Amino acid sequence: MIKYSAIIVTISSAALYALGLMFYQGYLNEFGIEESLFPLSFDRTLFHGFIASTNMGGKAIGLYLLAAEGVVLTAAIGATLLKLARQKFHTRTNLNRSTDTKGICASEEKREDDFLTFSYKMFLFAIGVVVVFFGFIFVLNFASASGREVAQKFKENVKSGDRTKVSIQLRDSNDVIIASPIVCNQFQCSYFDGESSLIINLSDIKNIIR
């Protein structure tokens, strides 16, 4: 188990990173903000991935169960079809087999069985990869939807007054903008004033009253 720990950690980190990225994109898209304007660091993306996994835990579990059932069902169908094909193949081979070539036919039959077994395993592997791939796509969509839900809750709190607002005074204007900060970086901040989203460069801000 220890020798696989690095692989498990790597896969888990990649999954959390993908979930976090989709969660963050869904969150900003709800405000109409381009994600590339406020890129996240790797650790912050993993943190958002953890939030996304907790917010959509029930949905993700249900989806993975459906994906697992799909794998089992597809494997059962594939096994049945291959079994029927092998039975038909062996019946046809036995009809054409003569008594003095039994040894050669037995060797050929073994090679054919090995090939069919290999084909069967590759078929199941391909089906499993496809199911897991589409399952992961659906999970990422759930992560994005989870981010949008959090953003919608943010908007509702701003409109109801449950979210802290700040007063922003710009350098070239006497107007004061009252809004709640969404996300910031070292160059700019985004705000929501209850109706629309604003992106303001920090260099354009004269004063912020909290």
Side-chain angles (χ1 to χ4, degrees):
M1 184 65 182
I2 297 179
K3 65 179 180 180
Y4 296 114
S5 58
I7 298 176
I8 294 173
V9 171
T10 301
I11 294 175
S12 300
S13 299
L16 275 180
Y17 183 85
L19 290 176
L21 189 60
M22 292 302 296
F23 176 88
Y24 186 61
Q25 287 180 347
Y27 179 78
L28 292 185
N29 286 340
E30 181 63 26
F31 291 104
I33 301 174
E34 176 60 38
E35 178 267 336
S36 60
L37 296 175
F38 299 94
L40 286 178
S41 60
F42 180 78
D43 57 335
R44 292 292 297 174
T45 305
L46 291 181
F47 175 72
H48 279 76
F50 175 75
I51 295 177
S53 63
T54 56
N55 284 345
M56 60 160 194
K59 295 179 181 178
I61 292 173
L63 181 63
Y64 279 129
L65 288 177
L66 289 176
E69 291 177 2
V71 171
V72 174
L73 179 61
T74 305
I77 294 174
T80 301
L81 293 176
L82 287 173
K83 183 177 180 180
L84 293 175
R86 290 180 63 183
Q87 288 177 350
K88 185 176 181 180
F89 174 80
H90 287 307
T91 300
R92 186 182 306 166
T93 302
N94 289 334
L95 291 175
N96 297 328
R97 184 179 299 161
S98 60
T99 56
D100 55 345
T101 58
K102 285 184 179 181
I104 298 176
C105 289
S107 177
E108 292 178 352
E109 182 179 356
K110 184 179 184 305
R111 287 197 297 268
E112 290 161 356
D113 287 342
D114 292 341
F115 177 76
L116 287 173
T117 301
F118 174 77
S119 301
Y120 172 69
K121 291 181 179 179
M122 292 303 297
F123 174 77
L124 293 184
F125 176 76
I127 292 297
V129 169
V130 170
V131 171
V132 170
F133 173 78
F134 283 105
F136 192 62
I137 293 296
F138 284 127
V139 170
L140 292 181
N141 287 332
F142 279 126
S144 179
S146 179
R148 291 194 297 270
E149 290 176 2
V150 173
Q152 290 169 2
K153 185 64 176 178
F154 181 99
K155 289 182 176 180
E156 293 173 2
N157 290 337
V158 171
K159 293 178 181 179
S160 64
D162 295 333
R163 191 80 183 186
T164 303
K165 296 182 180 180
V166 297
S167 299
I168 307 166
Q169 185 178 2
L170 301 179
R171 295 183 182 278
D172 300 331
S173 175
N174 293 324
D175 296 335
V176 175
I177 300 173
I178 300 176
S180 296
I182 301 172
V183 61
C184 296
N185 57 26
Q186 65 269 34
F187 302 110
Q188 56 195 0
C189 274
S190 58
Y191 299 90
F192 183 71
D193 61 5
E195 297 295 333
S196 59
S197 302
L198 309 169
I199 297 178
I200 304 176
N201 292 329
L202 297 181
S203 58
D204 295 333
I205 297 177
K206 180 180 181 181
N207 190 25
I208 296 179
I209 302 174
R210 300 183 182 276

